[in-house]
Amino acid sequence: MAALARWCFQRRKWVLVGWLALLVILGGAGRIAGSAYSDSLTLPGTGSTAALSLLRQAFPGHAGDQDTIVWRVSQGSVRDPAVRTRITAMLDRVAAAPAVASVTSPYSARGAAQVSRDDHIAYATVVFDAAGGSLATADVTRVVHLAEAARSPGVQVELGGQAVENALRPSVGISAGVGVVGAAVVLFLAFGSLLAMLLPLAVALAALISGLMTAGLLSHVVSIPSIGPTLGILIGLGVGIDYALFVVTRHRGNLKAGMSPREAAVRALNTSGRAVLFAGTTVCIALFGMLVLRIGFISGLGIAAAITVLFTMAAAVTLLPALLGFLGLRVLSRRERRRLAAGGFAPEGNSGRWARWAGFVQRHPLPLAAGAAVVMLALAIPVLSLRLGSSDAANDPASSTTHQAYELLAEGFGPGFNGPLQLVGTTGSRADMTAFTQLAGMLKAEPGIAAVSAPVAGQGAALISVIPTTSPEAAATSTLISELRDGVIPAAEGGTTMHVYVGGVTAVNGDFAAVIAHKLLIFIAVILGLGFLLLVLAFRSLLVPAVAAVMNLLAAAASFGVLVAVFQFGWGLHLLNLGQAGPVESFLPVLMLAVLFGLSMDYEVFLVSRIREEWALTGDNRQAVRTGQATTGRVIIAAATIMILVFSAFILSGQQITGEFGLGLAAAVLLDAFLLRTVLVPALMHLSGRANWWLPGWLDRILPHLSIEPAPEAPESIEPIGVTSGSLAPAPARR
């Protein structure tokens, strides 16, 4: 690491040119090739996937995404000649648009039922030639513009459906900008220097842009969902700024100790830079751990986020030392440079508020640990009521056309109309078709069902559309699907060769939630196991990694408790302007656990490695914990504050999914940094004493040695001051 840092510092112009060239090449390639993000969701072995497969074979016209164009008249009827002429002309233009397979108008015999009872609301069904996630955005937006052109005074026209929602998803640019501004303010307060403030921002933005462009190119080869870039921005900004902050803080500390800019940069990269690589690797391991779920949608999100983190690590160990070389001593404020010239600085950690707080924790470990644990457990209570699902268009911004279309359809045809179920059955014989027709009659008498369509025969299969009485995200709708699959359908299949599957977007979302819930414990076990093993290798301890695993679970449970309270119970949800109460997004727990695991490992490494370094020097656990906490507290809180601001800014996106992710991660980082790492972890380490560093001799001998901070190569490499990342080599003989 020292050699790389030295080379980047000395050849800083070439490094800067190389990064600029990389950005230009990636940008040019992205402009030529574009991106191919896909939101297709397949869940092998589930009823909804079987229904979709059967639909594609027997009903090619029904396999594509089905969206709706809805209109309402303020006076008169939707059947009035003027309204009919205007809307029919618009529907003809939509039918001729690219990617549109068919349009069913309410003014045709086939669509006669597509008018509300009061004649004020009607809709047309637009069937695209592919699933929503595979459609080109330009093709969908063309349909949107054609439909909106039919608006006139007294005639409201809106569009709904998955394809429309994907195409019109708002940019998170404003949220990202707010997060960057907040991070800049914290960095300036921490450093007191404009140039020092700009360093982490420049490194994070370079890594973020290159990572996003690479993910866009990779989407041609790997299936990456359209929300992948949003996730990459959210994680890349937070992690990128934090990693650069740790290195710049160490570099500034070295300068204050009297080192030359070159030596200070090399030492910073050879210590904190190694810790950044270790922490970043753990984040990538957690994100790539999402592949064990074997769900393409989830795997694509993990890959997109991991690419951004990889570029962040590369920028921190190459671009950052080059920029430090350009700035020299100007990375310090004028006041700090004058103070350095006048005689230097006192060693960090001997005085100040963090030293006083560390001493307070040392004197009162038991009550502080108990109090922190009670707070975390209390916040985690709502997680016991966690219900996974998918938010519907009712949670889109109130001004969006998808939300307006949802409300119009619910008003005119009932709340369940926005989430129809598709029952697809194999009908290889006349007896099967008769049984399927009888099933349609049985369904009309089932509670929770508002309407049932007449069976439509296809090539060896038949289709029934079922409208629930409740909205797509309602718990009652999930119960209805279970009752159909477990009771009604098996009874209809008895004595026949017919097999009936429940499909449709609502059923797909329900199956997705069930698959995630089934595999969630496996995923948690995998990432906790990997984290435990890495920390055992790093700290040569069993207790410290075990405590870290428990802390990760506590932070996750508490942050999920906050999510459930806000988004599922609806506590304060109206203040965030993020829709209505409903289930927590299905894929959110996996993503949050992966990211939270990585971020928690960051803080664990920076805190405990500094404690272990002091333990290796003194053999005094109390002093080691106190000194480690005092010297790392300020930078950990600054880094956490930046992440909280970045994540919280995404609550302003107006999209419930992004808002859930932003609030969940902001809460997790807040609790992890301000409660776990500054109170609970050091208090428990004080209570544990020398047991913190116990490792059976036989295990110590067979485990490989993982070193974050290298052994000193010369007397000058003894760390003078500053926040350190610790030496993870075996401790010397203890006193």
Side-chain angles (χ1 to χ4, degrees), residues 32 166 192 327 334 453 480 537 570 731:
I32 295 172
N166 290 343
L327 292 183
R334 289 190 179 91
S453 70
L480 173 63
L537 294 175

Side-chain angles (χ1 to χ4, degrees), residues 614-706:
E614 191 68 23
W615 161 257
L617 292 175
T618 66
D620 186 336
N621 182 76
R622 291 168 60 86
Q623 179 181 334
V625 176
R626 183 181 66 248
T627 302
Q629 183 181 6
T631 54
T632 60
R634 181 172 176 268
V635 69
I636 287 178
I637 292 301
T641 302
I642 289 173
M643 280 201 175
I644 292 168
L645 290 174
V646 170
F647 293 151
S648 297
F650 282 80
I651 300 174
L652 306 176
S653 66
Q655 294 291 306
Q656 189 173 87
I657 295 178
T658 307
E660 285 183 10
F661 201 75
L663 178 63
L665 282 182
V669 172
L670 174 68
L671 295 171
D672 191 287
F674 286 82
L675 201 58
L676 297 185
R677 308 302 160 185
T678 59
V679 180
L680 190 52
V681 169
L684 290 176
M685 294 189 75
H686 279 300
L687 293 171
S688 301
R690 299 176 65 90
N692 287 316
W693 315 108
W694 178 78
L695 184 70
W698 63 269
L699 184 58
D700 187 32
R701 289 189 294 272
I702 64 175
L703 286 178
H705 287 264
L706 175 64

Side-chain angles (χ1 to χ4, degrees), residues 174-186:
I174 296 178
S175 298
V178 172
V180 169
V181 171
V185 172
V186 176

Side-chain angles (χ1 to χ4, degrees), residues 269-577:
L269 266 295
N270 206 32
T271 52
S272 292
R274 287 174 177 262
V276 163
L277 287 181
F278 181 84
T281 300
T282 61
V283 175
C284 290
I285 289 174
L287 292 170
F288 283 126
M290 293 162 62
L291 298 177
V292 304
L293 297 177
R294 297 184 179 181
I295 301 175
F297 185 90
I298 296 294
S299 299
L301 289 176
I303 291 172
I307 289 173
T308 306
V309 176
L310 287 172
F311 272 96
T312 297
M313 295 162 56
V317 299
T318 57
L319 180 60
L320 183 54
L323 295 179
L324 291 175
F326 283 111
L327 292 183
L329 288 175
R330 287 176 297 175
V331 75
L332 299 176
S333 65
R334 289 190 179 91
R335 180 180 179 183
E336 288 172 328
R337 293 199 295 271
R338 288 194 298 267
R339 187 175 178 184
L340 181 63
F345 295 79
E348 202 171 333
N350 293 337
S351 60
R353 74 185 73 176
W354 280 107
R356 293 192 293 272
W357 174 251
F360 182 78
V361 173
Q362 179 184 352
R363 293 190 298 273
H364 310 283
L366 185 57
L368 287 175
V374 168
V375 172
M376 296 295 291
L377 292 173
L379 290 174
I381 290 176
V383 81
L384 299 175
S385 303
L386 174 65
R387 181 169 71 91
L388 299 180
S390 295
S391 58
D392 53 33
N395 296 303
D396 290 347
S399 60
S400 66
T401 188
T402 52
H403 178 89
Q404 295 293 328
Y406 181 98
E407 294 296 329
L408 289 179
L409 289 172
E411 177 186 342
F413 305 93
F417 191 84
N418 288 286
L421 306 177
Q422 293 177 324
L423 272 62
V424 191
T426 58
T427 53
S429 65
R430 182 173 298 179
D432 288 345
M433 189 64 204
T434 301
F436 193 77
T437 303
Q438 292 174 346
L439 172 62
M442 294 168 55
L443 292 172
K444 294 178 181 179
E446 285 296 315
I449 294 179
V452 179
S453 70
V456 179
Q459 301 175 9
L463 170 68
I464 299 173
S465 181
V466 175
I467 306 298
T469 58
T470 51
S471 66
E473 67 175 23
T477 304
S478 299
T479 302
L480 173 63
I481 294 175
S482 298
E483 291 175 349
L484 292 177
R485 287 173 170 171
D486 299 336
V488 178
I489 291 176
E493 292 174 337
T496 71
T497 59
M498 175 182 68
H499 295 284
V500 180
Y501 305 98
V502 181
V505 174
T506 304
V508 170
N509 291 336
D511 288 343
F512 186 36
V515 170
I516 292 292
H518 178 69
K519 296 184 176 182
L520 192 57
L521 291 179
I522 298 175
F523 178 69
I524 293 174
V526 168
I527 62 173
L528 287 182
L530 288 173
F532 180 84
L533 179 59
L534 285 172
L535 291 181
V536 168
L537 294 175
F539 297 132
R540 319 305 293 181
S541 163
L542 292 180
L543 185 60
V544 168
V547 170
V550 174
M551 295 302 103
N552 285 343
L553 286 177
L554 266 181
S559 59
F560 281 128
V562 173
L563 277 180
V564 171
V566 174
F567 289 97
Q568 190 172 316
F569 297 167
W571 296 354
L573 185 58
H574 66 284
L575 299 176
L576 302 178
N577 193 29

